[in-house]
Amino acid sequence: MRVLLVEDSVALADSLCAVLKEAGYAVDWRADGRDALVLGEQEPYDLCVLDLGLPGLDGLEVLRRWRAGGLALPVLVLTARSNWAERVEGLRAGADDYLTKPFHPEELVLRLQGLSRRSHGHEPGKPLEARGLTLDETRQRVAAATGGASPVVLSATEFKLLRYFMLHPDQVLSKTRLAEHLYEYDSERDSNVIEVQVNHLRGKLGRGVIVTRRGQGYIFVGHGS
Ligand code: CA
């Protein structure tokens, strides 16, 4: 999952980048509202954390323009403490959730997990379940939804990949699309890495969990029927 983080406080952005990467998100950080506006329209982000007081272009204006242009990207707005008017304005402009500063980074991670589950039609307060598997996003491990066998521990890359698959079950996902959602803006996107990681997941979860469509990509079918 790729996150666009828009925050002009360098210290806060630094700490949030670290926490979000630790939680398995590929993070692109921008401090200026104009840069964020363009990047949000260009790149296929899964989530956005948007501060409102920004240089260049106000966060509310960035959000309004995205929504006016039909961009459905789930956006969590960061607002100043006790500024209820800002929260209301944010929601009115099309924010999906908000968090009041100061907050604990852990809370942001939990809110984003909930927001991404909700935006894919899952219950936000429950672990991500898809096709017979349950993903523990905090511990980065996966188990059969029916219980039974002990949870399987995943590497950081396996976790990112499986989460994306589980949010998009039964869809053909090309290597290019997977790479776009797992790697940051300026990273080398080597689609061979995807192939290797898919094979790791098959080794841990069973060969049939991810089906190859030759020349097209992969389909996550999970353990369910
Ligand atoms: Ca600010």
Side-chain angles (χ1 to χ4, degrees), residues 77-181:
V77 155
L78 301 179
T79 65
R81 182 167 37 183
S82 77
N83 193 341
W84 65 268
E86 220 175 42
R87 289 200 292 276
V88 170
E89 281 294 292
L91 293 170
R92 205 171 270 157
D96 299 276
D97 199 0
Y98 64 86
L99 201 51
T100 306
K101 290 181 181 180
F103 56 85
H104 196 280
E106 186 74 11
E107 190 181 358
L108 176 64
V109 169
L110 291 173
R111 293 285 195 98
L112 286 180
Q113 288 171 354
L115 186 52
S116 83
R117 288 194 288 261
R118 179 152 58 97
S119 69
H120 287 88
H122 294 267
E123 278 191 56
K126 278 183 153 183
L128 177 60
E129 267 187 37
R131 313 288 284 169
L133 293 174
T134 305
L135 189 67
D136 181 336
E137 291 184 70
T138 304
R139 292 174 170 173
Q140 306 199 349
R141 55 189 207 178
V142 63
T146 49
S150 51
V152 175
V153 175
L154 303 166
S155 74
T157 317
E158 290 161 5
F159 167 71
K160 288 186 198 179
L161 187 59
L162 182 60
R163 176 164 59 186
Y164 195 79
F165 272 128
M166 287 178 70
L167 286 168
H168 305 87
D170 308 315
Q171 293 178 32
V172 181
L173 302 173
S174 68
K175 284 188 209 172
T176 311
R177 171 157 166 197
L178 289 167
E180 267 176 1
H181 287 272

Side-chain angles (χ1 to χ4, degrees), residues 172-191:
V172 181
L173 302 173
S174 68
K175 284 188 209 172
T176 311
R177 171 157 166 197
L178 289 167
E180 267 176 1
H181 287 272
L182 299 179
Y183 298 120
E184 277 129 32
Y185 185 71
D186 43 12
S187 61
E188 286 268 327
R189 290 177 193 162
D190 182 356
S191 57

